[in-house]
Amino acid sequence: MEKDKTLMHLHSGIEKQVPDVWDKIKDKLVTVEQVHISQESTLINERVLYKSGGLNRRLLVVAAVCVICLLSLRFTPVLASIQQMYDKIFSSEHIDDSGVRAAIKLGQHQAINQTYFDATNDISVHFEGIMTDDKETKLLLTYHSKTKDLKNYYIDIFEGDSSINLTVGNNKKMKLHNVGWGSRYYDRKENKVVEALSFESIKKYKGQDIHLEIENLTIYGDKQDSMVPAIWNLDFKLANSAISNRETIEINKNFAYKNIEYKIKKVEFSALETRVVVAGSDTKVFTDESGMRYTVMSKLEEQFLNSRKFDKELGYTVNNKKSGIFLKSAGEKVVPIFSKGEVAGEDDEYVMIFAPVKDRRDCTLEVGNDIKIILIKK
């Protein structure tokens, strides 16, 4: 009976708060020869959520809990190195969103460190962190499987079968809209997907209890696309560390490109990106004789995309051998974030999105090789 009570107590602890780092540090633990069990410690603030689980999995996690509890004071550097390893993934060139990379390097995000196990699909999902500003949220996560090849598994909330839903407190669940395509990298060796999921801002919910639900996976295969039913849950409280502010500066400068007159309306700065909002005679929404509304690619957009290239390993990158449109700030070239394609402004606007700049008071827009427009000067 006493044994059963002990197991029930441990099981309760697992459901509430368990570090999901066993797989990462077990090789380090076997080298330890002595354990000082008299040291007091607390569990790492990390939760593992299971849809279902077998006895073997639970016993493994119980063992991990016991060992990690005893060693947490002693191995803080080890746990810190694991977090650095996670950070390294999202600050690497494999994430084709330079805004995410910059924010991670500066520590401008909220660490979440929760794991959800999708038993139906045998996929372990680790929610790494989150960052948001006035117009966008980035949810950083990785997922891997021991039995399924995840090469073609996507969380595509742009045009796939996936979606992300938000519930705040007891309010009604609502579907969140995408911002661009997000950034994804597949690690073939580890059969792991690294994802910077991009959707609308949740900044206004600072300090509140948030429930996010990723619904369904989209499979893009060689033969036929399909959908995998799934529900991945995440609960957290949005902290101030996740939030950055957006500064908007009105510009209202005109310039001509390929005989088209354009007006730079404004520039928006945040820790995640720099947006240059432009209007022109070919950036509008047109209406045909039947009343159908449509857009065409403007001359400016063609030039913006001219330097874009796709790399199987690194996603959308810049081809430096081609001319394009860039910012220059503090003497440095600021590249476009091509993974934020098709982010719409108002009906008459075209939005160009670049990496965060180092100096917001020193910005020049360079169109091709000859056109340079000073946006802001010290």
Side-chain angles (χ1 to χ4, degrees), residues 8-19:
M8 286 294 290
H9 179 71
L10 288 172
H11 177 261
S12 177
I14 292 168
E15 294 296 328
K16 293 179 180 178
Q17 196 177 31
V18 177

Side-chain angles (χ1 to χ4, degrees), residues 90-91 95 97-105 131 138 140 196 272:
F90 289 97
S91 62
I95 296 298
D97 187 325
S98 49
V100 170
R101 300 200 304 266
I104 288 294
K105 289 175 182 177
M131 55 186 74
K138 288 287 188 181
L140 312 180
L272 300 182

Side-chain angles (χ1 to χ4, degrees), residues 229-294:
I231 297 290
W232 296 351
N233 295 302
L234 170 64
D235 293 282
F236 66 102
K237 181 172 288 188
L238 187 63
N240 192 60
S241 60
I243 296 171
S244 59
N245 296 318
R246 183 173 290 255
E247 179 186 9
T248 300
I249 298 178
E250 302 294 331
I251 302 297
N252 294 321
K253 285 190 176 182
N254 297 315
F255 72 97
Y257 177 69
K258 291 192 174 181
N259 299 320
I260 301 292
E261 290 291 327
Y262 295 98
K263 174 184 278 189
I264 302 172
K265 298 174 68 175
K266 58 186 176 181
V267 181
E268 300 175 3
F269 299 101
S270 88
L272 300 182
E273 65 181 17
T274 306
R275 292 191 184 192
V276 179
V277 181
V278 180
S281 60
D282 61 349
T283 64
K284 299 178 180 179
V285 176
F286 299 92
T287 305
D288 64 17
E289 295 178 353
S290 67
M292 180 178 293
R293 290 160 58 87
Y294 66 96

Side-chain angles (χ1 to χ4, degrees), residues 318-333:
V318 174
N319 185 345
N320 290 308
K321 295 181 180 180
K322 290 187 175 183
S323 66
I325 298 179
F326 302 94
L327 286 178
K328 194 167 187 180
S329 173
E332 295 186 4
K333 182 179 182 180

Side-chain angles (χ1 to χ4, degrees), residues 134-297:
D134 300 80
K135 290 194 173 179
E136 180 184 13
T137 300
K138 288 287 188 181
L139 177 62
L140 312 180
L141 65 144
T142 61
Y143 54 98
H144 70 276
S145 175
K146 294 182 179 179
T147 60
K148 283 187 171 58
D149 184 355
L150 299 179
K151 178 182 178 181
N152 297 321
Y153 280 60
Y154 289 75
I155 305 172
D156 187 351
I157 64 175
F158 175 60
E159 56 185 1
D161 295 305
S162 311
S163 63
I164 184 162
N165 306 304
L166 167 72
T167 306
V168 180
N170 296 321
N171 295 329
K172 184 179 179 181
K173 180 171 70 175
M174 58 181 174
K175 184 177 179 179
L176 297 173
H177 297 100
N178 73 290
V179 176
W181 306 323
S183 187
R184 177 188 184 274
Y185 163 61
Y186 174 65
D187 186 327
R188 185 185 305 273
K189 183 178 179 180
E190 295 189 27
N191 189 36
K192 177 174 67 178
V193 177
V194 180
E195 185 93 28
L197 196 61
S198 181
F199 50 91
E200 64 185 279
S201 173
I202 60 171
K203 177 182 175 180
K204 64 182 179 181
Y205 303 114
K206 182 180 76 170
Q208 299 185 52
D209 292 321
I210 289 175
H211 175 78
L212 290 179
E213 176 187 87
I214 296 174
E215 184 176 4
N216 301 334
L217 299 170
T218 304
I219 296 183
Y220 293 118
D222 298 331
K223 298 180 179 180
Q224 186 177 1
D225 299 341
S226 60
M227 182 268 286
V228 174
I231 297 290
W232 296 351
N233 295 302
L234 170 64
D235 293 282
F236 66 102
K237 181 172 288 188
L238 187 63
N240 192 60
S241 60
I243 296 171
S244 59
N245 296 318
R246 183 173 290 255
E247 179 186 9
T248 300
I249 298 178
E250 302 294 331
I251 302 297
N252 294 321
K253 285 190 176 182
N254 297 315
F255 72 97
Y257 177 69
K258 291 192 174 181
N259 299 320
I260 301 292
E261 290 291 327
Y262 295 98
K263 174 184 278 189
I264 302 172
K265 298 174 68 175
K266 58 186 176 181
V267 181
E268 300 175 3
F269 299 101
S270 88
L272 300 182
E273 65 181 17
T274 306
R275 292 191 184 192
V276 179
V277 181
V278 180
S281 60
D282 61 349
T283 64
K284 299 178 180 179
V285 176
F286 299 92
T287 305
D288 64 17
E289 295 178 353
S290 67
M292 180 178 293
R293 290 160 58 87
Y294 66 96
T295 59
V296 297
M297 184 177 292

